[in-house]
Amino acid sequence: MKHLHSITELSNDEIMHTIERAIMIKNGEIKRYENIYTANLFFENSTRTKCSFEMAERKLALQVIPFETSTSSVTKGESLYDTCKTLESIGCDVLVIRHPENNYYEQLHELNIPVVNGGDGSGQHPTQCLLDLMTIYEEYGKFEGLKIIICGDILNSRVARSNYHALTSLGAQVKFVAPEIWQDHSLDAKYVSIDDAIEEVDVCMLLRVQHERHDEDAANFSRVNYNRMYGLTRERYDRLKEEAIILHPAPVNRDVEIDSELVEAPKSRIFKQMENGVYTRMSILSQVIENNR
């Protein structure tokens, strides 16, 4: 792994190596790097991903160069490429970027330093996908044959897209649950009713309803009807298999995607995902640094 733009760039062996290295790091096998400089360029708001990367970088003893879009030359009209080239020129070794434009990284091929994608529009979110995979693997020790539903705003979800590609490649059976207005038929997955699928799944992966990406009618629907028709209610939770787990990339719209009381219920791994995000991103950064030396 010399960079990480999309989960589809990784082979199954590379995915498994990343997970296994993250687990080793979690168990205390941490390598630290001297005189390596990183910058986190977040052009969309973020708590989990940005802070998780910053924690991962500090645990690896990397030097983090502060960057805020609101006080950068981006506000003067500077292009993404020129911003990145500037950071490369002053000595950054790795850039982590989140950007609202799908496939933004395609304009950065002339950089001489690696880019790790922290999320691009509704395209890909490879590091979230890998931390989700780590969480599933810790639970089951495999992917082959697992039954997984991904519920929610599939059309706008980079998390759904990345997870679908990786999980199906690893042998899991993935189905989607979504209102028709949020379905994405460019992905070759079956859409099912949550009530028909809930009793047989091993993993129930919920997605944030992205109110900011919807028109007024869709936003009103999500707030009034979504929980009753598509959300994980207490009644649906009780129908899950005993060993089933719940995932959600967060932030959570409580009582929309999931009843508030279930966010920290015994089958929920939502906060475990956040914990694993640090170890996964440490694994990714370690590989990128070592493979670019």
Side-chain angles (χ1 to χ4, degrees):
M1 187 190 299
K2 298 195 73 171
H3 58 253
L4 181 57
H5 298 160
S6 167
I7 198 69
T8 57
E9 297 173 342
L10 302 182
S11 67
N12 287 353
D13 286 345
E14 288 174 314
I15 290 172
M16 291 308 304
H17 175 73
T18 301
I19 293 169
E20 288 161 359
R21 184 160 182 171
I23 292 171
M24 291 170 62
I25 291 170
K26 188 174 183 176
N27 291 332
E29 296 185 37
I30 301 174
K31 185 175 180 180
R32 293 176 173 83
Y33 303 87
E34 294 184 0
N35 300 318
I36 300 294
Y37 294 84
T38 68
N40 301 311
L41 287 67
F42 276 66
F43 295 88
E44 288 186 327
N45 293 337
S46 174
T47 300
R48 270 147 292 274
T49 304
K50 186 177 182 183
C51 292
S52 180
F53 265 112
E54 290 178 353
M55 183 62 74
E57 289 155 354
R58 284 170 169 78
K59 284 179 178 287
L60 294 171
L62 306 180
Q63 303 295 315
V64 184
I65 304 304
F67 180 89
E68 296 294 338
T69 56
S70 62
T71 56
S72 75
S73 292
V74 171
T75 62
K76 301 177 182 179
E78 184 173 60
S79 70
L80 176 62
Y81 175 81
D82 285 345
T83 297
C84 294
K85 195 66 180 177
T86 297
L87 291 165
E88 175 192 307
S89 299
I90 65 173
C92 283
D93 299 288
V94 182
L95 301 180
V96 177
I97 303 176
R98 169 175 285 190
H99 199 277
E101 181 180 337
N102 284 17
N103 307 319
Y104 71 80
Y105 42 80
E106 292 179 352
Q107 62 190 278
L108 303 178
H109 288 312
E110 297 302 314
L111 292 181
N112 297 308
I113 57 174
V115 168
V116 176
N117 183 7
D120 62 294
S122 59
Q124 289 278 332
H125 199 344
T127 67
Q128 177 69 46
C129 174
L130 288 163
L131 73 88
D132 292 345
L133 295 179
M134 177 186 175
T135 307
I136 294 169
Y137 189 73
E138 280 189 318
E139 202 74 30
Y140 291 104
K142 65 174 186 176
F143 298 100
E144 186 75 34
L146 292 181
K147 295 181 178 180
I148 298 171
I149 53 172
I150 303 179
C151 309
D153 188 358
I154 306 297
L155 183 64
N156 293 295
S157 178
R158 53 195 172 207
V159 175
R161 193 163 288 103
S162 296
N163 273 291
Y164 172 75
H165 288 304
L167 287 165
T168 53
S169 178
L170 291 163
Q173 301 173 31
V174 181
K175 297 178 181 178
F176 289 153
V177 173
E180 186 174 354
I181 56 173
W182 297 337
Q183 294 180 9
D184 181 358
H185 296 289
S186 69
L187 300 173
D188 187 23
K190 183 179 180 180
Y191 283 85
V192 297
S193 161
I194 188 171
D195 289 310
D196 290 342
I198 197 70
E199 294 177 1
E200 64 179 29
V201 300
D202 301 295
V203 180
C204 178
M205 183 181 295
L206 308 171
L207 303 173
R208 182 177 72 87
V209 174
Q210 300 185 53
H211 301 300
E212 72 277 9
R213 299 187 192 272
H214 299 154
D215 60 28
E216 186 175 348
D217 289 341
N220 288 336
F221 163 78
S222 67
R223 291 182 174 90
V224 175
N225 296 312
Y226 184 87
N227 180 263
R228 175 175 55 83
M229 298 174 66
Y230 300 97
L232 187 64
T233 61
R234 182 77 213 195
E235 185 274 333
R236 290 178 179 130
Y237 176 91
D238 289 339
R239 291 167 55 201
L240 285 165
K241 294 193 292 190
E242 188 62 33
E243 65 275 18
I245 62 171
I246 301 162
L247 302 181
H248 191 307
V252 177
N253 294 306
R254 288 174 180 259
D255 296 318
V256 179
E257 302 102 33
I258 180 172
D259 284 1
S260 185
E261 65 179 293
L262 303 178
V263 172
E264 296 183 73
K267 296 173 187 175
S268 172
R269 299 294 181 272
I270 295 172
F271 288 99
K272 178 65 69 176
Q273 289 172 264
M274 298 177 200
E275 177 189 351
N276 285 342
V278 176
Y279 305 120
T280 302
R281 290 172 175 123
M282 290 173 73
S283 172
I284 292 163
L285 289 165
S286 295
Q287 293 179 72
V288 167
I289 290 165
E290 292 168 10
N291 291 332
N292 281 277
R293 284 186 161 178

